[in-house]
């Protein structure tokens, strides 16, 4: 019957979404762990520099602010690069079909509101990346900042 065909179709649709959700979750986990590990290693390698700054009287909050601004700048450059590639793809591949449908009289919401959605997604993406980067640098930065300068210099 039609009901059984429709129910089977919905199950296949649900399975496809479940597989896609698992794939996206694994991809996000990979991005988070890679970013955390990168910044963790970067800060750990700079423990000696932090010790030198502390020995010359730098305050912990100034050291953290300096390292965070550096991480935010690197995150901004990476986000803008990725978003530029994404925009190029959307304009040349993703929206080409949508613009044709739009011209033919079949209006598509995502085509008409592309720029608004693009800017919102870019902002959310940058904030999420900044949160991930901040989490990746907080623990090693505080561990390095609270070492005595002599211990930090001996670290390398």
């Amino acid at each position: 019957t039609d009901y059984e065909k429709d129910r089977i179709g919905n199950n296949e649709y649900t399975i496809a979404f479940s597989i896609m959700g698992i794939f996206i979750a694994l991809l996000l986990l990979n991005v988070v762990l890679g970013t955390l590990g990168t910044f963790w290693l970067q800060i750990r390698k700079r423990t000696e520099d932090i010790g030198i700054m502390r020995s010359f009287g730098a305050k912990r909050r100034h050291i953290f602010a300096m390292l965070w601004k550096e991480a935010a700048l690197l995150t901004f450059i990476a986000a803008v690069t990725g978003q530029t590639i994404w925009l190029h793809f959307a304009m040349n591949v993703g929206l080409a079909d949508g613009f044709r449908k739009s011209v033919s009289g079949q209006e598509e919401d995502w085509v008409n509101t592309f720029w608004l959605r693009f800017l919102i997604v870019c902002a959310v993406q940058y904030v999420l990346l900044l949160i991930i980067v901040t989490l990746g640098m907080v623990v090693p930065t505080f561990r390095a900042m609270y070492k005595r300068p002599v211990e930090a210099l001996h670290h390398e």
Side-chain angles (χ1 to χ4, degrees), residues 12-33:
E12 291 173 0
Y13 193 67
T14 304
I15 291 170
F17 263 135
S18 297
I19 292 171
M20 190 183 314
I22 291 169
F23 177 74
I24 290 172
L26 290 174
L27 183 66
L28 286 174
L29 181 65
N30 189 22
V31 168
V32 168
L33 291 177

Side-chain angles (χ1 to χ4, degrees), residues 31-41 43 64 67-68 71-72 75 126-143:
V31 168
V32 168
L33 291 177
T35 305
L36 287 173
T38 300
F39 277 93
W40 187 289
L41 183 64
I43 300 298
F64 182 79
L67 293 172
W68 189 83
T75 304
Y126 178 68
V127 168
L128 287 175
L129 285 173
L130 205 53
I131 290 169
I132 292 168
V133 165
T134 302
L135 289 174
M137 66 170 285
V138 164
V139 173
T141 302
F142 277 94
R143 287 182 68 188

Side-chain angles (χ1 to χ4, degrees), residues 1 27 39 43 61 68 81 84 94 105 121 145 152:
T1 66
L27 183 66
F39 277 93
I43 300 298
R61 67 175 177 257
W68 189 83
T81 302
T84 303
V121 168
M145 286 188 314

